[in-house]
Amino acid sequence: MSLNANTVAGLRRLLEDPQGRTDAQVMELALRIAAVWRSRVLAAHLGTVDGLVIQDGPFKGMTYVAAATEGALLPRLIGSYESELHPHILALIEEGIETVIDVGCAEGYYAVGLARLIPGATIHAYDTDPAARTACRTLAEANGVSDRVTIGETFKGEDFAGFTPGKTLVFMDIEGGEHGLLDPEAYPALKGLHILVETHPNARLDLTAIITERFAASHDIIRVEMGPKTTPLPAWMTKLSHIDQLIGAWEWRMRPTPWLVMRPKA
């Protein structure tokens, strides 16, 4: 079936069998299903009209992929994806980062983007999903940085000890797995590394607060919240409906996932 047929079938199942959800919950989920479909349609059209090239932000000009292995493709192509981090990424680069450990690299948005942005830097990208590793390798080759992007499956906490303090950035997005890896008592080498992590608070653990407390003694910490998107849209998108323009910047998030930008103290 086409994507549209899958979407219609999913909406029909939801409406016919809400499985105990309230009307408000059904409406929210139905809206999400429809919006994800529309986001994919718009991303495909952008790729046809403008090509698979990131249009704005720090990774502007990067050749990209036709499908993201996780999350929304459209805001990545537009250049608004996680725009809250843009000034922090640029500031970290100015501070002399030479090595990046990207844990949870997906198809390589940050691994390859940072390799392009930091000439000479070595990027160590990790993902447990074989499809993600293949996509990341392909993306690195397409952008001419495969010689500086190494790709692995599983990163272990004891591996932090192999990296240079002060010159290494740990970039992490692993859907709650940060609880086990970002532990400076278990892995003391973390106390000397720069860290940018997307945290995933949930009903059981407030991981943002836990990680902040763990690193309070060793790092200066900035908490970054989700904010409005101001990246210019492609010209053809400015002629679409307002809801399409909103969907253009939507990153498919279910709930807030704050980031922590952590620098080792002097």
Side-chain angles (χ1 to χ4, degrees):
M1 291 194 297
S2 68
L3 175 60
N4 186 49
N6 279 323
T7 303
V8 171
L11 288 169
R12 183 177 291 115
R13 286 194 300 271
L14 174 65
L15 296 173
E16 291 176 352
D17 182 15
Q19 297 184 356
R21 297 181 179 93
T22 66
D23 288 346
Q25 290 170 330
V26 169
M27 182 62 69
E28 180 181 357
L29 185 53
L31 179 61
R32 182 178 179 84
I33 292 170
V36 165
W37 169 76
R38 185 59 178 166
S39 176
R40 286 175 168 151
V41 169
L42 292 172
H45 186 67
L46 187 153
T48 299
V49 173
D50 298 321
L52 294 172
V53 178
I54 294 178
Q55 301 199 356
D56 211 312
F59 303 150
K60 182 178 180 179
M62 180 167 77
T63 298
Y64 210 56
V65 297
T69 58
E70 186 276 328
L73 174 64
L74 184 56
R76 289 174 165 95
L77 289 173
I78 290 172
S80 63
Y81 185 70
E82 297 187 342
S83 57
E84 300 87 347
L85 299 182
H86 292 177
H88 299 283
I89 289 171
L90 295 175
L92 286 165
I93 291 171
E94 288 295 319
E95 293 164 21
I97 294 299
E98 298 175 354
T99 304
V100 177
I101 309 166
D102 184 358
V103 187
C105 66
E107 71 276 0
Y109 180 76
Y110 284 110
V112 175
L114 289 170
R116 294 179 77 251
L117 204 58
I118 317 174
T122 301
I123 316 298
H124 302 271
Y126 295 84
D127 204 292
T128 56
D129 179 3
R133 295 196 299 275
T134 298
C136 186
R137 186 173 294 107
T138 299
L139 189 63
E141 292 170 353
N143 284 277
V145 296
S146 57
D147 59 324
R148 295 188 289 113
V149 179
T150 65
I151 300 170
E153 179 177 352
T154 302
F155 186 87
K156 299 178 181 179
E158 51 267 27
D159 296 337
F160 288 121
F163 293 91
T164 305
K167 299 294 185 180
T168 300
L169 170 64
V170 178
F171 197 101
M172 186 175 295
D173 177 5
I174 48 176
E175 306 300 322
E178 63 270 18
H179 181 261
L181 271 181
L182 293 183
D183 184 348
E185 294 305 312
Y187 311 116
L190 281 165
K191 296 177 183 179
L193 306 182
H194 291 72
I195 302 167
L196 199 165
V197 56
E198 181 176 339
T199 62
H200 299 83
N202 55 47
R204 187 174 65 87
L205 292 173
D206 185 348
L207 294 183
T208 313
I210 289 171
I211 292 171
T212 299
E213 182 178 358
R214 286 177 178 177
F215 286 89
S218 61
H219 284 67
D220 295 316
I221 302 173
I222 300 172
R223 174 170 171 153
V224 181
E225 303 285 353
M226 288 191 300
K229 304 296 179 181
T230 57
T231 302
L233 294 171
W236 61 270
M237 284 195 73
T238 64
K239 299 177 176 63
L240 300 181
S241 69
H242 192 197
I243 193 167
D244 274 343
Q245 294 179 37
L246 292 172
I247 288 172
W250 179 47
E251 298 174 5
W252 300 8
R253 297 179 191 277
M254 294 289 289
R255 60 187 64 84
T257 54
W259 297 273
L260 297 176
V261 182
M262 306 192 290
R263 293 173 170 84
K265 294 182 178 179

